[in-house]
Amino acid sequence: MPQAGKSIYELDTPTLLLDKDKLESNIADMARFAKENGLMLRPHIKTHKSVHIAKLQLEAGAAGITTAKIGEAEVMANAGIKDILIAYPIAAKKKVNRLINLLDQGVHLKIAVDNHEQLELLDQLMSQSPHQLEVWIKVNSGLNRCGVEPGNEVVKLAIDISLKKSLKLGGIFTHAGHSYAAPSMSEIEQIGLLEGKAVAESAEACEREGIPIAVRSVGSTPTYKIAGKVKGINEVRPGNAVFFDAIQTGLGVTDIDRCALSVLATVVGKYRNSRLVLDTGSKALCLDQGAHGNKSVKGFGHVISHPEITIERLSEEHGVASIDGETSLGLNDVIQIIPNHACPVANLFDQYVVHQNDKIVGVWDIEARGKVT
Ligand SMILES: Cc1ncc(COP(=O)(O)O)c(C=O)c1O
């Protein structure tokens, strides 16, 4: 068990580290942006998957949380967090039964809807329970994953929801995940503006038909500060911004100094002064190198204070790195690596070892890791 007060460099590796000061500053920054712009904040907890961090975000002013999985929502609800958007299209009976359990516990739950068949199924299944299920219409703002097209299709769904006794419409939302493939900050800005407009204009179209839309929600870490300023938007849902990572710095969204999550690694081999092997393979770092077409990250993680090192490939237990010129690193040296993508890396560990200036200050569980259903 890591001991408070000790140096992180005494820990066994690989270990997941969380810089408390950077985390707190990232949480405060999201909350400040929301407050200054009169927005509600509903951070996506898929990034950290931790009850403790979700509660820090709520204490900082978040109105509720977003999850992707019912399992994540169940963990958070059991810990007393009661305002949850499951931003995922759900229609299967076994899943709806779990939603009903959450409603029985008093959770203010909402889920994503994006088609008429789903509405029909949800209405039938929910009619077996005493609850009305709050649904938010998911709009496609360019990611081309889930969601209806903005405008007319949203209005048709909104009218259909108003006719279903067991459903109620609470909001319209979108996620501009395609911002991760944008080659420049100016393209990210364009995507953010369209993200905001897709939701705001759909909400206006519904209101012209006499259907009020209480929540108009947007958010991806690259775009939420742009989309959140579009007139008519009243909620943002950043996820990754709680930690940031090398993909975000590659996009130009933030600086490496604001990345709160790192993996502590040990050099387990040095070969012909040109290759290092680290004990961080794909069981400790992720294979993600950013969205297709975006070449802004170097290797499989940013090695702090060692620009001469590039992690070229990962097998499960080995990270193989090249050395550009000379390096002081040798066998048993310990380094910190900022992962390319923080969210899947947090899913690989049971705990964060929390530190301030490299001194351990706590250990926080990652309770919702591995909750895939
Ligand atoms: C629906 C939804 N909202 C918000 C987010 C948060 O995005 P990001 O982690 O880029 O902030 C995601 C991430 O996948 C998402 O799917």
Side-chain angles (χ1 to χ4, degrees), residues 30 42-47 66-68 85-88 112 138 143 145 173-177 179-180 195 217-224 236-242 244-245 248 341 343:
M30 279 185 265
R42 183 178 293 282
H44 204 311
I45 61 85
K46 64 180 279 178
T47 302
T66 308
T67 76
L85 164 68
I86 305 177
Y88 205 83
K138 172 107 193 230
L143 176 58
R145 199 168 61 184
F173 78 107
T174 193
H175 164 64
S179 57
Y180 285 91
E195 178 183 18
S217 178
V218 293
S220 74
T221 290
T223 59
Y224 81 96
V236 286
R237 304 183 321 279
N240 186 278
V242 73
F244 290 120
D245 54 28
Q248 302 290 350
H341 190 180
C343 315

Side-chain angles (χ1 to χ4, degrees), residues 110-126:
K110 21 260 170 187
I111 69 157
V113 290
D114 66 1
N115 67 85
H116 294 275
E117 189 182 359
Q118 181 197 9
L119 293 182
E120 197 58 49
L121 285 168
L122 284 176
D123 192 42
Q124 273 170 27
L125 293 165
M126 288 306 299

Side-chain angles (χ1 to χ4, degrees), residues 26-41:
N26 292 343
I27 290 174
D29 182 59
M30 279 185 265
R32 193 180 319 112
F33 173 80
K35 196 167 174 214
E36 282 174 4
N37 290 282
L39 299 163
M40 293 177 285
L41 174 64

